Amino acid sequence: MPVSRELLQSLKGLRIQVLHPPDAEGKVLIEHLNRIGCTCEATWPLPEEINPAASVVIIAIEPSHREQILKLFRPVEPLDPALLAVISFEDPSTVQIVLECGALGVIERPIRPFGLLTNLMITRSIWLERQNASKRIRKLERRVRSSKQILRAKEILMQTREMTEDAAYECIRQQAMAKRISMDELADAIIAAHTLLTNNP
Amino acid sequence: MAEGEWKIGVLFSKTGVTAGAETSELNAAILAIEEINAAGGVLGRNLNAIHYDPGCSPPKYQEYAIRLLKEDRVRIVFGCYMSSERKVVLPQIEAFRGLLFYPTFYEGFEYSSRCFYGGAAANQNAVALAKYLIEKFGSRFLLVGSNYVFPREYNRVISELVELSKGEVVDEIYVPVESTAEDFEKIIKSIKVHAPDVIVSTVVGTGSQQLFESFHAAGLNPRDTPIASLTMTEAEVSNVRPEIVAGHLTSASFFENLDLPEARRFVAAFKQRFGASAPITSSAEAVYCQVHLFAKALALAGDDDPELIAKHLRGMEFDAPQGRIRIDPDNHHTELWSRIARINEAGQFDIVWQSENRIRPDVYFVTSSCESRHTPEAQSNYGM
């Protein structure tokens, strides 16, 4: 199935929290999101926190609300909803807030229906890519750390027990299996024991 | 505006690749305007249409739209056939704060507060058509179209529906809008290689006629492989010999020989005005309805201020030739009836299926949601 089709289907019933004053522009925005098939929750004034059920947040950026906006979105967490900023000006201080709050897309005023669907889909697509990328990074980080620890544990065994590298690796593997723990947990235990015995942290 | 009349703009082509379909639309606009004026106009003032022929060229459409809005000071425009024409006219309508009535079936995925869409969006004909074709003929589809936005988007929807039914699209081929006979050799070859159960065509205008002529000349038979086409309407059929199109299918909201009182009255008036051989398409019926709906809204508003007119149009109903229709107040499209017809030996359209109710326009239509929300519940008993 093409990516665009999955994204398009995911827009139906997508929960969007709209942080925008209830004026004519806000009305155009919410009406069109409903027309597309999204489920909108309009919130104004700016709340203390984002509704955790929202998948996408659309926020009106006003320099006068800078502190409140940044409080809502700083620090940028990987699990934050996808964020779209509505802007009236392109001055550097507005753009800075857009960047600092982690917005992935921008809707310009005056708000018009044309372009909103594409903007939503691009934002969702970047957000999904980021989710996948951060999952992958966490997995790789764990793997790097684990292979570092196993390497260190192997060295300890090779020095203290005069084992070959293969034998040291096999020893760690066998013991981890016998104790039903992971190899890096066992490696951690070997390193801790060695540090303790040699009193040489 | 001149005293004593309501000026409106009309942009349909009398020349060019889709002139057949657009002339039918223009005629319907003229008929509706004459009917309204014969009945005393709107609030005692006649409608006065200013028409330009953009020759099916998008740049000309844009140029004439600007002329209508800027020099002729028109605020209300009826017009456009291909989506590529609407896409260049609508920004001008928005810039001059006017209102566009677009009567042609199209791909959907658009909304402007300054446009009313009188033709079917993809969900209003594709869902029923794909279902009908799969049930009657099988699920191996070959898709052909003119190379612009509507055929590509319509074929995307059909492909998804076919895929959901575990069917297969064996080939998808596009020809230039201004096509020549050679462009169709590739299609005929593919039909012979793949032997699909059914062909869905969105080739527009004179190209549509060439497609059916090539199909016929190649010795292919609609009994083996029918072509289902939204774009082989009364206008295109009237330009070819009946034996070339007999046995093929089309889907629309309205057909000339629809046996309903409003339809019979409309067809009789149209033929009396433009001649017995003047074709009436579904899009022409939509223009006719839109002009009458506009007149009703104008009478209520008392002024042709586009925003006031739009306010009165939202949710308005009308006893159309196709059956009672309603303007969706949220998306400005129209709740329409859906029908499928087979072309007979005399080049007439025999209706073989119709929806039980009018179908709501789902402008931002995705196929996963179609089964539960938009497939007509019950099928009628026309049979084949």
Side-chain angles (χ1 to χ4, degrees):
Chain A
M1 179 161 34
V3 182
S4 64
R5 180 160 144 206
E6 252 175 273
L7 273 175
L8 199 58
Q9 285 174 355
S10 78
L11 295 185
K12 296 281 171 189
L14 184 75
R15 298 185 69 111
I16 303 184
Q17 188 172 21
V18 180
L19 309 177
H20 192 289
D23 53 16
E25 299 257 13
K27 194 162 163 264
V28 169
L29 178 62
I30 287 172
E31 279 177 358
H32 197 62
L33 292 171
N34 288 336
R35 213 170 272 131
I36 291 172
C38 305
T39 307
C40 291
E41 178 196 347
T43 312
W44 195 260
L46 288 172
E48 286 299 311
E49 54 189 34
I50 296 302
N51 183 345
S55 302
V56 175
V57 173
I58 299 180
I59 183 166
I61 301 285
E62 296 289 350
S64 55
H65 299 144
R66 182 191 160 84
E67 280 68 36
Q68 277 167 284
I69 294 170
L70 293 185
K71 214 178 104 201
L72 274 174
F73 297 105
R74 297 296 299 186
V76 177
E77 300 285 349
L79 288 174
D80 283 347
L83 189 63
L84 267 158
V86 179
I87 60 169
S88 310
F89 299 96
E90 246 184 342
D91 61 292
S93 45
T94 301
V95 176
Q96 195 184 340
I97 303 173
V98 171
L99 290 173
E100 281 180 340
C101 71
L104 302 178
V106 164
I107 300 163
E108 70 220 64
R109 288 206 186 96
I111 297 172
R112 45 189 297 233
F114 184 79
L116 211 48
L117 175 82
T118 310
N119 224 332
L120 254 184
M121 281 178 69
I122 289 177
T123 303
R124 283 278 292 165
S125 158
I126 296 173
W127 184 83
L128 287 169
E129 266 173 37
R130 274 206 185 168
Q131 293 291 95
N132 290 338
S134 75
K135 263 185 221 156
R136 211 173 127 76
I137 289 169
R138 278 201 297 279
K139 207 166 131 192
L140 290 173
E141 278 172 349
R142 270 202 304 277
R143 202 175 287 169
V144 167
R145 186 188 166 276
S146 139
S147 63
K148 257 193 198 160
Q149 293 301 89
I150 292 169
L151 190 68
R152 176 77 191 112
K154 270 194 316 194
E155 279 169 6
I156 291 168
L157 290 181
M158 285 158 71
Q159 279 169 15
T160 60
R161 303 285 196 85
E162 291 177 2
M163 282 180 171
T164 64
E165 189 180 349
D166 286 351
Y169 181 82
E170 195 53 27
C171 174
I172 295 168
R173 200 180 67 83
Q174 296 261 357
Q175 286 204 50
M177 264 172 53
K179 292 192 166 64
R180 294 175 185 281
I181 58 174
S182 69
M183 280 177 74
D184 43 319
E185 279 174 290
L186 191 88
D188 282 346
I190 291 171
I191 295 163
H194 182 69
T195 313
L196 202 66
L197 291 174
T198 55
N199 203 10
N200 185 17
Chain B
M1 101 167 37
E3 272 307 308
E5 60 186 20
W6 304 103
K7 259 201 284 190
I8 58 174
V10 177
L11 291 178
F12 293 116
S13 309
K14 291 170 90 168
T15 54
V17 65
T18 55
E22 298 193 44
T23 302
S24 185
E25 290 179 310
L26 174 63
N27 287 347
I30 293 169
L31 177 65
I33 291 164
E34 287 177 355
E35 282 180 1
I36 291 159
N37 290 345
V42 178
L43 303 173
R45 293 158 70 177
N46 275 358
L47 298 182
N48 176 18
I50 301 170
H51 169 250
Y52 296 113
D53 173 9
C56 305
S57 144
K60 282 273 169 202
Y61 262 96
Q62 185 174 37
E63 186 188 321
Y64 285 128
I66 295 171
R67 186 188 294 187
L68 279 173
L69 294 156
K70 197 174 165 185
E71 289 167 31
D72 300 323
R73 304 272 176 166
V74 155
R75 296 202 275 184
I76 309 291
V77 177
F78 293 83
C80 301
Y81 180 75
M82 281 186 274
S83 289
S84 42
E85 297 162 357
R86 186 190 68 259
K87 283 286 179 199
V88 296
V89 168
L90 196 47
Q92 303 306 330
I93 297 279
E94 287 174 342
F96 286 91
R97 310 186 76 76
L99 194 60
L100 175 68
F101 288 86
Y102 177 63
T104 316
F105 54 88
Y106 87 115
E107 64 281 356
F109 285 88
E110 190 182 280
Y111 165 80
S112 164
S113 61
R114 297 192 172 273
C115 187
F116 282 91
Y117 305 78
N123 80 296
Q124 292 171 296
N125 53 34
V127 177
L129 182 64
K131 194 172 170 189
Y132 181 88
L133 295 176
I134 289 167
E135 276 171 13
K136 296 282 179 186
F137 303 104
S139 56
R140 295 182 68 252
F141 278 54
L142 191 146
L143 310 179
V144 298
S146 295
N147 197 0
Y148 74 104
V149 57
F150 167 67
R152 286 193 177 266
E153 174 60 20
Y154 193 78
N155 284 341
R156 188 187 67 79
V157 172
I158 294 283
S159 299
E160 288 185 10
L161 293 168
V162 169
E163 212 178 286
L164 284 173
S165 305
K166 309 272 177 264
E168 185 194 356
V169 173
V170 296
D171 204 356
E172 186 172 339
I173 306 171
Y174 293 93
V175 297
V177 173
E178 308 265 353
S179 54
T180 61
E182 289 92 75
D183 293 318
F184 295 94
E185 283 170 16
K186 198 167 55 172
I187 295 175
I188 298 302
K189 217 162 146 189
S190 178
I191 296 171
K192 286 184 172 167
V193 170
H194 295 290
D197 295 327
V198 62
I199 299 156
V200 173
S201 164
T202 40
V203 175
V204 296
T206 48
S208 189
Q209 296 154 29
Q210 283 166 343
L211 169 68
F212 283 78
E213 273 159 6
S214 305
F215 184 94
H216 185 75
L220 294 163
N221 191 320
R223 267 195 292 275
D224 304 324
T225 315
I227 305 174
S229 172
L230 297 190
T231 44
M232 198 62 190
T233 67
E234 286 86 346
E236 291 80 16
V237 164
S238 69
N239 290 331
V240 297
R241 299 194 312 281
E243 64 263 31
I244 286 174
V245 285
H248 294 292
L249 297 142
T250 185
S251 169
S253 301
F254 166 88
F255 289 100
E256 256 186 34
N257 60 350
L258 181 61
D259 196 17
L260 292 173
E262 277 305 313
R264 284 194 299 267
R265 198 201 55 73
F266 166 63
V267 171
F270 193 104
K271 299 283 182 185
Q272 196 189 353
R273 174 67 176 79
F274 301 103
S277 62
I280 314 171
T281 65
S282 178
S283 299
E285 188 251 11
V287 180
Y288 178 81
C289 297
Q290 286 197 311
V291 174
H292 277 288
L293 281 159
F294 160 69
K296 280 175 74 174
L298 179 59
L300 291 169
D303 188 276
D304 70 347
D305 170 35
E307 280 154 52
L308 261 178
I309 298 284
K311 195 182 116 203
H312 286 288
L313 282 171
R314 292 186 198 111
M316 191 179 267
E317 301 201 15
F318 181 67
D319 278 316
Q322 65 175 281
R324 198 164 174 80
I325 60 171
R326 175 175 182 266
I327 295 178
D328 186 301
D330 298 323
N331 63 30
H332 283 200
H333 288 60
T334 314
E335 292 180 16
L336 298 169
W337 298 77
S338 182
R339 295 183 170 91
I340 297 169
R342 194 173 49 178
I343 306 169
N344 65 24
E345 307 302 322
Q348 292 288 314
F349 291 80
D350 294 331
I351 295 166
V352 293
W353 177 89
Q354 69 176 354
S355 56
E356 283 281 292
N357 297 297
R358 60 187 185 211
I359 299 175
R360 291 190 54 205
D362 185 356
V363 182
Y364 292 86
F365 169 68
V366 294
T367 44
S368 65
S369 60
C370 68
E371 286 300 323
S372 54
R373 291 170 58 204
H374 291 286
T375 303
E377 302 271 307
Q379 312 281 306
S380 83
N381 339 314
Y382 272 93
M384 285 259 321

